[in-house]
Amino acid sequence: MADSSWKDGILLKITNVLVYFLFLGSNIYTVAGPSSIYYNGKETYITPAPWAFLIWTLIHALLLGTVIYQFFPAGKATIIDAIAWRFPLLAILNAIYVNVWVAHHRIVAFVFALLVSSAVTHIYYIVKKHHSPQSYADEIFIHLPFSLYHGWTTVLVVLSAFEAFGVNATHHHAGVWTKVFVFLALFFLEGTAATYAFSTPEGDLPASIAIAWSLWAIFAHQTSSKFVHWSSFAFALLALVWVLKGAFGLFSRARGGRVTLGDEERAPLVGGH
């Protein structure tokens, strides 16, 4: 750390630390609390296997690096000066979303899932459009967590929509309309993974991984309906193709050196969900 620059924007930095632990605590409660929401929540025809939610662990670990990195000059330039108060807003919205979801207020949870996704999208756009990574620290503590976060919240919006408005798979068989909406949701998620893969020449690998991870978890969990089971398998395979495309782009960039892009080229194709 250079000189006393870590004190610049100290109020926001302290706020970021506090809301991070609020955010972390809300997700820990879903695991440690008495409700066991991952096992006793509403079962829909797009509910993934409980291990899908382990992605939160990785996101939290990376965001811990983010709140530490903000105290360094390189991190401050993006986290404090560019993202600014959007991160505290995101963390508070996410904590509220988790709490209303655990309380089974499903329509309210869906609304907050949309708000969380919008907040993440705004940060994602700022980071991708205006702040290309200048170091591995930028990649790991800024671009990686918000790419994963953006992809995962897209999944959460879909899951929350089915919990709010879909049938309970425990008590109802999958009718024609349920199968249609599940197919469209899976198609949307796979298409989003493809959009990430082509958002820049090297693609957005972490966001594509978040989508593919969820699709494989849906395939693993949805065994009561053969249509849903094999549809999710097909879309999970397609999403894996986009992950491989992103991995190839990342490998090519690593071999050829960092790609420098203009603002128009760096603008992500994925909008708000």
Side-chain angles (χ1 to χ4, degrees):
M1 269 177 229
D3 303 322
S4 61
S5 61
W6 67 272
K7 296 179 182 178
D8 295 340
I10 191 64
L11 177 60
L12 178 53
K13 290 175 180 177
I14 293 173
T15 302
N16 282 343
V17 173
L18 293 176
V19 296
Y20 167 79
F21 284 105
L22 171 68
F23 173 32
L24 175 65
S26 66
N27 273 330
I28 290 176
Y29 179 75
T30 64
V31 178
S35 61
S36 300
I37 187 66
Y38 298 131
Y39 296 93
N40 299 323
K42 180 180 177 180
E43 186 76 19
T44 74
Y45 282 100
I46 206 167
T47 299
W51 50 261
F53 295 90
L54 289 173
I55 197 171
W56 276 128
T57 305
L58 179 57
I59 291 172
H60 282 301
L62 291 168
L63 288 177
L64 177 60
T66 303
V67 298
I68 294 172
Y69 190 45
Q70 69 176 340
F71 290 99
F72 292 80
K76 174 185 174 295
T78 301
I79 301 165
I80 301 300
D81 298 338
I83 296 174
W85 290 92
R86 296 175 186 87
F87 180 73
L89 174 63
L90 169 62
I92 291 170
L93 288 173
N94 207 133
I96 295 172
Y97 161 72
V98 169
N99 279 277
V100 295
W101 179 59
V102 169
H104 304 296
H105 301 304
R106 297 185 178 100
I107 294 178
V108 178
F110 172 64
V111 171
F112 273 95
L114 290 172
L115 293 174
V116 169
S117 182
S118 297
V120 175
T121 297
H122 198 184
I123 294 174
Y124 180 83
Y125 183 77
I126 289 170
V127 168
K128 293 295 182 181
K129 180 177 175 62
H130 298 294
H131 297 274
S132 59
Q134 303 300 312
S135 65
Y136 286 117
D138 284 354
E139 289 272 18
I140 296 170
F141 299 126
I142 299 176
H143 284 254
L144 178 54
F146 288 112
S147 287
L148 274 175
Y149 206 159
H150 194 255
W152 177 238
T153 54
T154 302
V155 175
L156 291 181
V157 168
V158 174
L159 299 183
S160 298
F162 274 82
E163 288 191 3
F165 307 110
V167 299
N168 191 320
T170 305
H171 306 297
H172 298 87
H173 293 292
V176 173
W177 283 110
T178 294
K179 291 177 180 178
V180 167
F181 284 117
V182 168
F183 186 88
L184 290 174
L186 295 172
F187 176 75
F188 168 73
L189 290 175
E190 181 274 328
T192 303
T195 304
Y196 284 127
F198 291 97
S199 60
T200 63
E202 67 270 24
D204 190 335
L205 178 60
S208 294
I209 288 175
I211 300 288
W213 171 264
S214 67
L215 287 170
W216 284 107
I218 293 169
F219 162 68
H221 189 68
Q222 294 298 327
T223 56
S224 61
S225 168
K226 290 186 181 298
F227 176 83
V228 175
H229 182 68
W230 293 112
S231 294
S232 57
F233 176 71
F235 284 117
L237 279 179
L238 287 172
L240 188 59
V241 171
W242 309 130
V243 169
L244 293 176
K245 189 270 179 190
F248 177 77
L250 193 63
F251 176 74
S252 298
R253 189 184 72 175
R255 287 190 61 189
R258 182 168 301 280
V259 179
T260 302
L261 302 173
D263 283 350
E264 293 81 9
E265 294 172 302
R266 291 204 64 87
L269 299 179
V270 181
H273 300 291

